[in-house]
């Protein structure tokens, strides 16, 4: 798991600081891992991560390429809060078999197994792409990017957003999408015959209706214009179908 970095947040205000910023309820740290995201004020994705209690501190497990930028962003929000942020040398190990002592269940879906924080990283050889595709679980830098709205990416089903916790950055836009509009675009698992590079446009009747991302075992995760993604579609040399 060398593609992850672990930040530690210390200080009397660490949990309340995060509670005011992230999409999930930090008070649930007492129950295990919390999956959350930090958004722009316009409700778009900056980073997704796991939060874990570490005594009075909080560990933040994020994709390595986003870690430095996220640390700077959090420090920008810190102002006078009693919270100190540091990059650690901790690693994360994950798997889907019997969970070792101290491991925490991945909250997104039972099939995603467990995560363990310590000095040793790695995993048990699980085919993570196959699990993600089967359950339409997006990945940082693949399905998730700066233009992503988390509800279109399925964060509600993945326990990555809480609509009862109160305000956080980007909350107004996210709540409006939840309560006042019907989502017309979103990630879905599709059937794929053939293969196409990640990011290939999906077309139907000569019009672009989406984008194909991770593929495994004849299926893939696609971002679709839901009202136009009908019948047989094409993504490069691959044939794509989706049923509601």
């Amino acid at each position: 798991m060398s593609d992850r970095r672990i930040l530690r947040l210390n200080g009397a205000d660490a949990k309340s600081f995060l509670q005011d910023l992230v999409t999930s309820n930090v008070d649930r740290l007492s129950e295990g891992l919390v999956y959350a995201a930090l958004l722009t004020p316009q409700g778009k994705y900056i980073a997704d991560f796991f939060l874990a209690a570490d005594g009075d501190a909080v560990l933040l497990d994020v994709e390595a390429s986003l870690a430095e930028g996220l640390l700077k962003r959090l420090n920008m929000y810190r102002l006078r809060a009693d919270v100190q942020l540091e990059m650690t040398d901790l690693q994360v190990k994950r798997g889907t078999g019997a969970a070792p002592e101290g491991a925490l269940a991945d909250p997104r879906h039972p099939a995603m197994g467990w995560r363990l924080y310590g000095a040793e990283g790695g995993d048990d050889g699980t085919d993570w792409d196959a699990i993600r595709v089967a359950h339409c679980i997006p990945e940082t830098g693949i399905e998730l990017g700066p233009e992503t709205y988390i509800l279109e990416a399925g964060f509600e089903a993945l326990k990555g957003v809480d609509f009862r916790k109160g305000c956080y950055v980007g909350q107004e836009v996210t709540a409006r999408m939840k309560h006042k509009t019907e989502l017309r675009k979103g990630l879905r698992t599709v059937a794929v015959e053939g293969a196409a590079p990640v990011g290939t446009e999906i077309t139907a009747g000569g019009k672009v209706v989406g984008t194909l991302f991770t593929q495994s075992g004849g299926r893939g995760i696609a971002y679709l214009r839901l009202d136009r993604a009908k019948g047989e579609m094409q993504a490069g040399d691959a044939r794509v179908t989706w049923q509601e």
Side-chain angles (χ1 to χ4, degrees):
M1 295 296 293
S2 59
D3 59 340
R4 307 294 293 186
R5 293 299 305 274
I6 313 299
L7 283 62
R8 180 184 282 112
L9 290 82
N10 291 286
D13 297 334
K15 292 179 182 177
S16 60
F17 168 74
L18 287 169
Q19 184 76 323
D20 291 340
L21 295 178
V22 307
T23 57
S24 290
N25 190 347
V26 177
D27 291 341
R28 301 193 68 176
L29 280 171
S30 60
E31 303 171 17
L33 275 183
V34 171
Y35 181 56
L38 181 68
L39 309 178
T40 68
Q42 294 75 36
K44 291 187 176 181
Y45 170 94
I46 293 176
D48 65 313
F49 37 80
F50 298 93
L51 301 172
D54 182 33
D56 292 331
V58 179
L59 300 180
L60 189 156
D61 165 8
V62 66
E63 208 279 335
S65 66
L66 301 180
E68 291 291 346
L70 180 60
L71 182 60
K72 291 179 181 178
R73 176 80 62 149
L74 292 173
N75 272 313
M76 180 186 74
Y77 281 120
R78 189 166 58 88
L79 301 176
R80 297 181 181 178
D82 180 7
V83 56
Q84 296 81 47
L85 301 97
E86 61 172 341
M87 200 78 71
T88 77
D89 293 326
L90 291 173
Q91 298 185 44
V92 56
K93 180 183 289 188
R94 64 175 178 169
T96 55
E101 183 178 355
L104 299 169
D106 188 319
R108 294 174 295 177
H109 193 282
M112 292 298 287
W114 48 264
R115 303 174 82 87
L116 177 66
Y117 298 98
E120 182 181 354
D123 63 41
D124 62 356
T126 292
D127 186 343
W128 299 104
D129 279 351
I131 295 174
R132 291 199 306 104
V133 168
H135 302 289
C136 203
I137 299 173
E139 180 76 16
T140 309
I142 303 177
E143 291 85 14
L144 300 174
E147 296 303 311
T148 298
Y149 290 103
I150 60 169
L151 295 192
E152 293 182 346
F155 269 55
E156 186 173 8
L158 300 174
K159 302 180 181 66
V161 59
D162 189 312
F163 290 102
R164 296 175 293 181
K165 60 159 284 186
C167 294
Y168 54 87
V169 179
Q171 182 264 345
E172 183 177 351
V173 174
T174 306
R176 187 183 308 125
M177 292 182 71
K178 165 68 173 174
H179 298 294
K180 295 186 178 180
T181 63
E182 181 179 352
L183 294 180
R184 294 182 295 176
K185 302 176 182 178
L187 294 178
R188 297 292 188 273
T189 296
V190 296
V192 182
E193 294 185 28
V198 168
T200 299
E201 289 185 340
I202 299 172
T203 60
K207 296 182 178 180
V208 176
V209 298
T211 307
L212 183 61
F213 292 107
T214 306
Q215 299 148 64
S216 178
R219 294 190 289 178
I221 298 176
Y223 180 71
L224 298 176
R225 175 73 182 264
L226 302 175
D227 60 340
R228 295 182 180 177
K230 308 294 184 184
E232 185 175 310
M233 300 174 283
Q234 291 294 131
D237 294 329
R239 186 171 68 175
V240 176
T241 54
W242 171 64
Q243 291 183 339
E244 295 187 55

